[in-house]
Amino acid sequence: MGDRITIEPVTRIEGHGIITIDLDDEGGVRDARFQVTQFRGFEKLTEGRPFYEMPAITERICGICPVSHALASGRAGDAILGVHPPETAVLLRRLCNCGAFIQSHALSFFYLSAPDLLLGMDADPARRNIVGLVAAHPDLVRDGIRLRQFGQQVIEMVGGRRIHPAWVVPGGVDAALSGEHREAIRRMLPEALAIITRTLALFKQALGDFSAEIETFARFPSLYMGMVDGDGKLDHVQGRLRIIDATGGIVADAIDPVDYRQHIGEAAEPWSYLKFPYYRPLGYPDGLYRVGPAARLNVCNGCGTPLADREWAEFRSLERGPVSSSFHNHYARLIEILYGIETIGELVAQPALTGARIRALAQPNFPEGVGCVEAPRGTLIHHYRVDDNGLMTWANLIVATGHNNLAMNRGVLQVAHRFITAAEVPEGALNRLEAVIRAFDPCLSCSTHAIGRMPLVVRLRRPDGSILREISRS
Amino acid sequence: MNRLRLATTWLDGCSGCHMSLLDLDEALLDILAGVEMVYGPLVDVKDFPARADVTLVEGAVGSEADRRHILEIRERTGILVSFGDCAVTANVPAMRNRFPVEAVIARAYVDNADRHPAAGDGAAAERPAFAFTGVPRLCPTARPVHEFVPVDVFVPGCPPAAAVIAWLLTELVAGRTPEIGGRSRFGA
Ligand code: SF4
């Protein structure tokens, strides 16, 4: 047994996490782990609540993607009622989802990752943040703020408020969209489109500077999972699950979310509050798969909107098979923002969007329901059981960051192998360890239904737990 | 002039209160110009600084790590703000309080998991208490911040509206201790 390095906490991610690195006797990296350190217990704490309260309760799992939780919950509720939401409700859910993707991806790219991408992985940690970025790239920061604001405003106009709108309900949605708000959204589109166009150009220009990161940020073959429509195009809200292998071959397709448990198992390890979902046919831990922006662009046959499709084709030409470096999640996020903006353009052109029929009413007709959507970070599954009165008796939630847990752990190990030895733990290496995790944009508030942060200390520990060396960043 | 040393943190919360802070949009840049961000989820500082003038705390105290963190923050902070309903009342995290913490853990890690490699996989069938190592222990109940440390300002809301946060920060930057009064309410 050798020594152990700990990075605590991982900063600029949405949640609590620690990186631990075990060294072997020669000072090389033996193992690396990403540990999630908080847990909130939504699967249990919702017990006894009426199922129609679930969208509002589960939104409080995460302030970054409350809309995704509300949509998954609403769909599980649709199944318990046994109804199809009216056409207008489906269109409005899609519209709100586009706003949610745009704001969340903008947060991830501009607020959390741009400091690494534009100031550099080795930049002074004291200014490697959004404030430092304001000084160096004020226009870019303003673009990021405006784009996030656009997404949040769409949510607000459709759902009534920006964070935790109590608007998705089992059977549909709670309020129709006014013609005025439709117009207001339409008017905001050109600016959003201009911002994402120049950001994509800037990002592609900078790609050459990150070849080492692209090589090592969780670049390995794996399975990928995401939701697609009947034609294999992106479908975040109403699609079915598709799983592909490392060569791009489809191993499972058109999976009805109701059957998710035939495909996905969940392992629990005592050193992390985040469980490890795996693809059942391959077992644990070999059934490693990835979800999220790059995975979605890997599994689909195209986005389904013209500008995004062009970018998608360019993205897919990066590698011969599926794009395997998780670094490219950044790229994929920008393409999905473009897709979201184009999709909003299509939605606001549809007359049915402002229809009055927005909710199908029924009593609970079925004791169980599964709702599945693509959240910004990947596939989100809500699975509920209710009693005869519609009170929750059991819930299971699998969120994007969970699906990616095995892959994040392998990614951390890959970076550690490349950049760390016992003799040397350079500051830039520490940041890269965190950055590989940031590339997955893990939402730890979602994943363990918890969030938070703690200080970074790197500890070289002897097997008996005594500290050999301690490195602090401040 | 010395700029206000501002820290923010989240404990057992959803980040929604922090997102509402970001919902200041471009006005955030003006606020940031008037303060020094010494700690928070958007900056890379790992240790809580020796001194912060103001700390906004989101979330309830749900784990041993939260408890240690809030005690340290209180020692090093001038004005401590309970920021949002979870900090003020324990709100959603407290919904687990009517169950024993073991039952909350068992639902997620025993009932809803089919593999327990470290425990030997047969153990799942016998439904063992699932013991964690190397992660902070959960407190038996999630509690509001003021049950652990004195709080100077309470800002209800789930989350507090961006306009309320703008007003709050403006007051703080001006050196006043804000009186929230009717500006925000629970669940707002
Ligand atoms: S008060 Fe509401 S918005 Fe703030 S952390 Fe708690 S649940 Fe999230």
Side-chain angles (χ1 to χ4, degrees):
Chain A
M1 275 284 274
D3 297 315
R4 172 171 282 192
I5 299 175
T6 314
I7 297 185
E8 184 185 7
V10 180
T11 43
R12 282 187 287 131
I13 60 169
E14 297 115 2
H16 278 287
I18 304 175
I19 296 170
T20 304
I21 295 162
D22 289 323
L23 303 172
D24 59 26
D25 293 330
E26 283 77 53
V29 171
R30 188 171 57 82
D31 198 6
R33 281 173 175 179
F34 174 55
Q35 298 172 263
V36 172
T37 55
Q38 212 176 22
F39 172 64
R40 297 171 69 200
F42 276 79
E43 289 94 336
K44 185 72 179 177
L45 68 76
T46 52
E47 205 174 289
R49 309 297 296 212
F51 77 101
Y52 52 79
E53 282 184 358
M54 289 299 280
I57 295 174
T58 56
E59 279 182 337
R60 267 75 182 180
I61 289 172
C62 178
I64 299 159
C65 59
V67 168
S68 300
H69 283 284
L71 289 170
S73 186
R75 283 175 59 75
D78 298 345
I80 288 168
L81 297 176
V83 300
H84 292 291
E87 183 193 6
T88 297
V90 174
L91 294 175
L92 286 172
R93 284 180 177 184
R94 286 190 188 282
L95 178 59
C96 197
N97 179 69
C98 288
F101 263 68
I102 292 166
Q103 65 83 18
S104 172
H105 280 350
L107 173 77
S108 171
F109 185 83
F110 291 94
Y111 290 70
L112 303 177
S113 291
D116 288 334
L117 300 175
L118 290 157
L119 301 175
M121 297 282 169
D122 303 294
D124 172 9
R127 66 181 194 98
R128 194 176 54 212
N129 56 50
I130 185 85
V131 185
L133 203 59
V134 175
H137 300 275
D139 294 344
L140 180 106
V141 171
R142 210 165 287 276
D143 274 358
I145 289 174
R146 291 292 291 172
L147 203 52
R148 179 181 176 277
Q149 181 180 9
F150 168 66
Q152 290 287 71
Q153 282 175 320
V154 170
I155 295 170
E156 187 173 15
M157 286 181 197
V158 175
R161 59 189 291 196
R162 286 176 167 207
I163 299 167
H164 306 333
W167 174 76
V168 177
V169 292
V173 299
D174 194 44
L177 182 72
S178 71
E180 270 162 57
H181 280 156
R182 178 214 291 263
E183 275 319 301
I185 293 170
R186 200 202 304 269
R187 277 197 303 273
M188 293 190 290
L189 283 167
E191 185 194 356
L193 190 60
I195 291 174
I196 196 61
T197 306
R198 60 180 170 257
T199 309
L200 261 165
L202 184 88
F203 179 81
K204 285 192 277 187
Q205 237 171 34
L207 264 184
D209 300 339
F210 293 99
S211 40
E213 286 76 16
I214 291 168
E215 276 301 312
T216 49
F217 279 18
R219 181 171 190 175
F220 45 76
S222 75
L223 302 171
Y224 303 91
M225 182 171 82
M227 277 178 22
V228 293
D229 69 10
D231 297 324
K233 305 286 189 200
L234 275 188
D235 187 345
H236 295 152
V237 181
Q238 300 269 98
R240 291 195 166 207
L241 290 166
R242 172 183 281 180
I243 302 173
I244 62 168
D245 64 19
T247 65
I250 294 173
V251 297
D253 204 4
I255 302 169
D256 188 326
V258 164
D259 300 323
Y260 77 96
R261 286 187 142 183
Q262 292 171 18
H263 303 270
I264 297 166
E266 292 181 82
E269 296 276 11
W271 46 269
S272 179
Y273 280 128
L274 184 54
K275 283 186 282 187
F276 296 82
Y278 61 94
Y279 179 55
R280 267 187 204 278
L282 294 186
Y284 179 81
D286 295 340
L288 178 156
Y289 60 96
R290 283 185 268 186
V291 301
R296 278 191 291 262
L297 296 190
N298 279 337
V299 304
C300 72
N301 309 339
C303 299
T305 58
L307 297 175
D309 269 339
R310 239 185 286 158
E311 295 292 338
W312 174 79
E314 205 178 321
F315 174 85
R316 290 297 305 271
S317 70
L318 286 171
E319 290 183 41
R320 286 243 301 265
V323 174
S324 66
S325 171
S326 288
F327 182 86
H328 286 309
N329 274 316
H330 296 304
Y331 194 176
R333 242 169 244 131
L334 297 178
I335 296 172
E336 281 199 323
I337 291 176
L338 177 60
Y339 162 77
I341 293 168
E342 286 186 289
T343 303
I344 291 176
E346 290 176 2
L347 287 167
V348 294
Q350 295 212 31
L353 188 70
T354 44
R357 188 181 283 276
I358 53 173
R359 183 172 188 176
L361 294 169
Q363 294 295 315
N365 286 304
F366 296 91
E368 193 160 355
V370 176
C372 180
V373 297
E374 286 293 325
R377 289 156 191 79
T379 312
L380 170 63
I381 300 169
H382 283 210
H383 183 186
Y384 305 159
R385 289 192 197 125
V386 296
D387 67 12
D388 290 345
N389 300 314
L391 301 182
M392 295 287 300
T393 57
W394 174 90
N396 191 35
L397 309 169
I398 307 182
V399 302
T401 304
H403 297 292
N404 281 332
N405 201 6
L406 281 170
M408 284 192 293
N409 273 275
R410 193 179 296 178
V412 166
L413 180 60
Q414 191 172 31
V415 174
H417 272 307
R418 167 78 182 260
F419 292 101
I420 283 197
T421 61
E424 212 197 350
V425 187
E427 174 8 77
L430 300 184
N431 191 40
R432 282 184 181 85
L433 281 170
E434 297 183 82
V436 67
I437 292 175
R438 254 178 244 134
F440 285 94
D441 188 21
C443 187
L444 304 184
S445 53
C446 278
S447 55
T448 57
H449 326 311
I451 202 151
R453 65 190 294 288
M454 284 178 293
L456 177 134
V457 187
V458 179
R459 290 196 191 104
L460 295 162
R461 280 207 305 220
R462 297 192 183 90
D464 65 2
S466 63
I467 293 167
L468 176 73
R469 185 152 62 102
E470 192 166 281
I471 307 164
S472 176
R473 189 182 270 176
S474 43
Chain B
M1 197 185 96
N2 280 341
R3 290 190 302 166
L4 183 85
R5 291 171 60 81
L6 177 69
T8 75
T9 193
W10 56 51
L11 307 173
D12 189 350
C14 81
S15 82
C17 294
H18 272 79
M19 291 306 117
S20 200
L21 169 66
L22 295 190
D23 280 343
L24 286 169
D25 302 328
E26 283 167 287
L28 186 64
L29 294 180
D30 300 330
I31 301 256
L32 287 181
V35 303
E36 192 183 341
M37 281 286 281
V38 292
Y39 187 81
L42 290 175
V43 296
D44 255 353
V45 182
K46 303 281 182 179
D47 291 312
F48 198 86
R51 192 74 200 152
D53 297 323
V54 173
T55 303
L56 309 182
V57 179
E58 171 192 312
V61 176
S63 73
E64 284 304 317
D66 295 340
R67 203 179 58 82
R68 280 196 305 273
H69 193 41
I70 196 66
L71 293 177
E72 179 183 71
I73 287 173
R74 175 69 278 183
E75 269 177 23
R76 301 179 178 192
T77 297
I79 297 175
L80 185 69
V81 181
S82 245
F83 184 48
D85 286 349
C86 289
V88 178
T89 70
N91 195 29
V92 174
M95 287 173 66
R96 76 166 165 87
N97 293 358
R98 64 208 166 97
F99 304 103
V101 67
E102 297 75 25
V104 179
I105 289 176
R107 168 60 51 82
Y109 303 102
V110 180
D111 305 353
N112 295 358
D114 55 283
R115 298 286 311 267
H116 299 83
D121 272 327
E126 293 140 37
R127 309 206 152 212
F130 196 72
F132 283 94
T133 52
V135 288
R137 217 162 45 84
L138 292 187
C139 301
T141 55
R143 316 294 307 175
V145 168
H146 63 268
E147 288 194 12
F148 296 84
V149 295
V151 166
D152 303 298
V153 180
F154 293 90
V155 186
C158 181
V164 174
I165 299 171
W167 172 84
L168 174 84
L169 291 175
T170 311
E171 288 289 291
L172 289 164
V173 169
R176 294 186 285 268
T177 303
E179 286 290 340
I180 289 293
R183 282 188 178 80
S184 189
R185 59 177 176 80
F186 294 105

